[in-house]
């Protein structure tokens, strides 16, 4: 959970009598002053028998901002009779991403009683753009309306102070609850169930279905769908692509000839043959001869594909998100938390798989001989703090690779939420250090020191980098939200723009990218997962020429496997387009 430190007009945190039924029922749904809303003359105070007596009228949503995933702007009066859940989020944030399945389960359980509205209050500059939010909606397969709250108008109206945050509005249009941070489904469900029963008994619940014109209704199936990572292997001349939103791994040669596909395309966690197994938005990869290791991110699992027998097995994780502070253990009995990237390291004849564990802001390690897994670096605090492996703080590590620093092998980590490049020692008792980007600023300010600035060391500014690759003594960074590829000299830390002009786009000469997420190099070529453009770009590192990898014969998965709308029976009531 992050608190923005840069808002001078942050709303006052006023104590009030609004200790809602939610806190009484669940004890701790609120986070004290953060989740209390300003008392006003509209507070209902004379309903002693009403457990929701202390409530405030919900501020209007009429901020003049762009609406997405719906035909037009929504007014709260159009939703009278519904329980409305406002989800304040920003699409970079791993905690916000973790809340999306929880909200989806709520929508699926109560398709006629509950309406979720995403209020996107951006952290990073690039996240303020409506088109970028639209891409995030498609990438995360969101099935509810979203408003672009780029100027934090609703954030202030609803007295929000951190991501993610929820506000619950009852069927009569009053705010009755709120929460900051991740929240287990069981807690949210218990509260909403009680609220629904209360208003059903009261006769104020409208259980007619609601239909929204979702962004994906207009999208076409893609042969590659938001590819997250790539892995190029020079020895075997193969390229492995995580076709993340098609829930599969695509294997080609380095020229783009299709070799194989791992995964049926159906969201799931099933082991088995390449054609039968399933994943949930996989990301990073690591190769060990005939074995391909896969970070099955949204399943919170690690998988292994045998490239000879064409079989996939699960090697770590239990299919549930780990709680914070997990200490590890036997890999198949240990819950994981959003494994985002992998790197295989062999030392003294022993092989270890290092995992960029984005959820707890740590690097984990798995011993492939003993099948034990545990945290390796990072205290779990979200920040950019250098220090020992145990005490240092990372911020949503999203890419990891091995390389050299001062003649020694180290792990290089793209710390996306801190917009920094870090090194993690491979020696017991070693250190975590920041190569480029901010570090050690008070009160978590390092998390908000982002920009687009080349230079040396601490003077460099990136914006949410998701990819890093080390090749022939040069580091390549996917400076994702700046839509650039940059180079870093490992010794001098000199950082320079290599490709891209900062503008999102889809062209080769001069090159433009749209939130590139993964990098890998082989055979004097750099392979780029140009995520929002649904393509793989190939850079000739000698000629500095950019082209697009053409994968002949690759088709989208069967459309029968597409996810259905959250409101499958919604046919009788359509919200009108309103001018605000």
């Amino acid at each position: 959970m992050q608190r923005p430190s840069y808002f001078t007009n942050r709303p006052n945190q006023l104590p009030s009598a609004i200790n809602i039924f939610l806190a009484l029922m669940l004890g701790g749904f609120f986070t004290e002053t953060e989740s209390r809303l300003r008392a006003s003359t509209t507070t209902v105070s004379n309903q002693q028998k009403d457990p929701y007596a202390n409530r405030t009228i919900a501020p209007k949503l009429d901020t003049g901002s762009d609406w997405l995933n719906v035909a037009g702007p929504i007014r709260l009066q159009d939703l009278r009779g519904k329980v409305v859940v406002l989800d304040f989020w920003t699409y970079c944030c791993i905690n916000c991403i973790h809340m999306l399945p929880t909200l989806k389960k709520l929508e699926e359980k109560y398709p006629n009683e509950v309406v979720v509205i995403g209020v996107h209050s951006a952290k990073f500059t690039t996240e303020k753009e409506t088109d970028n939010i639209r891409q995030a909606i498609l990438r995360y397969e969101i099935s509810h309306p979203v408003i672009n709250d780029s100027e934090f108008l609703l954030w202030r109206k609803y007295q929000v102070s951190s991501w993610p945050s929820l506000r619950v509005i009852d069927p009569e249009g009053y705010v009755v609850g709120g929460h900051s941070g991740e929240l287990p489904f069981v807690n949210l469900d218990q509260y909403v169930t009680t609220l629904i029963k209360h208003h059903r008994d009261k006769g104020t619940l409208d259980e007619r279905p609601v239909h929204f014109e979702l962004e994906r209704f207009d999208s076409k199936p893609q042969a590659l769908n938001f590819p997250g990572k790539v892995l190029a292997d020079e020895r075997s001349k193969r390229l492995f692509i995580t076709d993340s939103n098609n829930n599969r791994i695509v294997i080609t040669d380095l020229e783009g000839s299709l070799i194989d596909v791992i995964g049926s395309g159906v969201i799931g966690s099933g082991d088995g043959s390449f054609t039968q197994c399933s994943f949930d938005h996989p990301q990073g990869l690591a190769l060990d001869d005939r074995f391909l290791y896969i970070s099955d991110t949204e399943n919170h699992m690690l998988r292994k594909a045998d490239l000879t027998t064409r079989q996939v097995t699960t090697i770590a994780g239990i299919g549930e998100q780990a709680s914070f502070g997990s200490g590890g253990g036997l890999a198949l009995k240990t819950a994981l938390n959003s494994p985002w990237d992998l790197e295989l390291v062999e030392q003294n004849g022993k092989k270890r798989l290092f995992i960029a564990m984005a959820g707890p802001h740590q690097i984990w390690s798995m011993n492939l001989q003993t099948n034990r897994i545990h945290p390796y670096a990072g205290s779990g605090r979200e920040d950019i703090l250098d220090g020992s492996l145990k005490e240092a703080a990372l911020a949503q590590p999203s890419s990891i690779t091995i390389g050299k620093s001062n003649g020694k092998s180290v792990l290089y980590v793209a710390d996306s939420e801190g917009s920094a490049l870090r090194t993690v020692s491979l020696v017991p008792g070693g250190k975590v250090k920041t190569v480029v980007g901010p570090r050690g600023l008070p009160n978590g300010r390092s998390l908000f020191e982002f920009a687009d600035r080349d230079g040396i060391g601490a003077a460099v500014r990136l914006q949410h980098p998701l990819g890093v690759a080390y090749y022939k003594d040069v580091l390549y960074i996917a400076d994702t939200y700046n839509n650039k590829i940059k180079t870093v000299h490992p010794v001098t830390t000199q950082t320079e723009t290599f490709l891209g002009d900062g503008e999102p786009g889809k062209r080769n000469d001069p090159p433009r990218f749209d939130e590139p997420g993964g990098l890998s190099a082989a055979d004097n070529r750099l392979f780029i997962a140009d995520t929002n453009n649904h393509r793989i770009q190939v850079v000739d590192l000698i000629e500095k020429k950019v082209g697009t990898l053409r994968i002949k014969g690759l088709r989208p998965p069967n459309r029968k496997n597409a996810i259905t709308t959250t409101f499958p029976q919604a046919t009788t009531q359509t919200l009108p387009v309103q001018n605000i």
Side-chain angles (χ1 to χ4, degrees), residues 300-302 314-319 328-336 355 364-368 370-374:
H300 308 287
M301 298 163 70
L302 302 182
T314 300
I315 63 169
I318 60 174
L330 288 174
L332 285 173
K333 294 185 177 181
T334 299
L336 309 181
I355 306 109
W364 280 44
S365 173
M366 179 176 174
N367 187 316
L368 295 177
T370 64
N371 293 320
R372 297 188 69 85
I373 192 169
H374 59 84

Side-chain angles (χ1 to χ4, degrees), residues 34 265 370 420 499:
E34 266 191 42
T370 64
L499 296 169

Side-chain angles (χ1 to χ4, degrees), residues 260-494:
D260 213 338
V261 175
I262 308 174
S264 64
V266 177
I267 290 179
S269 57
D271 291 342
S273 69
F274 281 9
T275 57
Q276 295 175 329
C277 66
S278 54
F279 304 93
D280 192 348
H281 296 79
Q283 288 287 335
L285 305 166
L287 184 64
D288 181 19
D289 193 24
R290 61 182 274 194
F291 298 116
L292 181 70
Y293 296 96
I294 303 162
S295 51
D296 195 359
T297 303
E298 294 193 20
N299 276 325
H300 308 287
M301 298 163 70
L302 302 182
R303 318 289 292 280
K304 181 172 74 172
D306 187 322
L307 300 174
T308 301
T309 65
R310 302 183 74 250
Q311 294 287 317
V312 170
T313 55
T314 300
I315 63 169
I318 60 174
E320 297 177 4
Q321 181 188 344
S323 59
F324 285 90
S326 173
L330 288 174
L332 285 173
K333 294 185 177 181
T334 299
L336 309 181
N337 193 342
S338 293
W340 213 273
D341 200 12
L342 304 172
E343 182 68 17
L344 184 71
V345 176
E346 185 170 358
Q347 290 178 304
N348 302 319
K350 297 180 179 180
K351 293 179 179 179
R352 286 191 294 175
L353 196 61
F354 285 92
I355 306 109
M357 202 74 76
H361 314 292
Q362 293 175 318
I363 303 301
W364 280 44
S365 173
M366 179 176 174
N367 187 316
L368 295 177
Q369 282 71 43
T370 64
N371 293 320
R372 297 188 69 85
I373 192 169
H374 59 84
Y376 179 78
S379 64
R381 173 180 174 179
E382 184 178 12
D383 207 340
I384 304 295
L385 298 175
D386 294 348
S388 69
L389 294 175
K390 185 177 181 180
E391 295 174 346
L394 294 95
Q396 202 171 310
S398 300
S399 183
I400 185 170
T401 192
I402 191 169
K404 294 289 186 179
S405 176
N406 297 318
K408 297 180 180 179
S409 293
V410 297
L411 295 172
Y412 284 98
V413 177
D415 234 357
S416 61
E417 280 296 281
S419 298
L421 179 66
R422 321 289 296 280
T423 59
V424 176
S425 174
L426 289 168
V427 179
K431 302 283 187 179
V432 175
K433 299 178 181 179
T434 303
V435 181
V436 298
R439 76 287 306 266
L441 299 178
N443 302 316
R445 244 185 57 229
S446 296
L447 300 176
F448 299 92
E449 287 292 322
F450 53 84
D452 182 3
R453 187 166 72 219
D454 295 349
I456 295 176
V460 173
R461 290 294 179 267
L462 308 171
Q463 191 179 181
H464 201 75
L466 289 178
V468 61
Y470 182 92
Y471 186 69
K472 294 187 176 181
D473 298 324
V474 176
L475 284 158
Y476 296 90
I477 299 178
D479 192 3
T480 305
Y481 286 1
N482 283 326
N483 302 297
K484 287 184 174 183
I485 308 300
K486 295 185 177 181
T487 58
V488 179
H489 191 286
V491 176
T492 66
T493 71
Q494 178 70 47

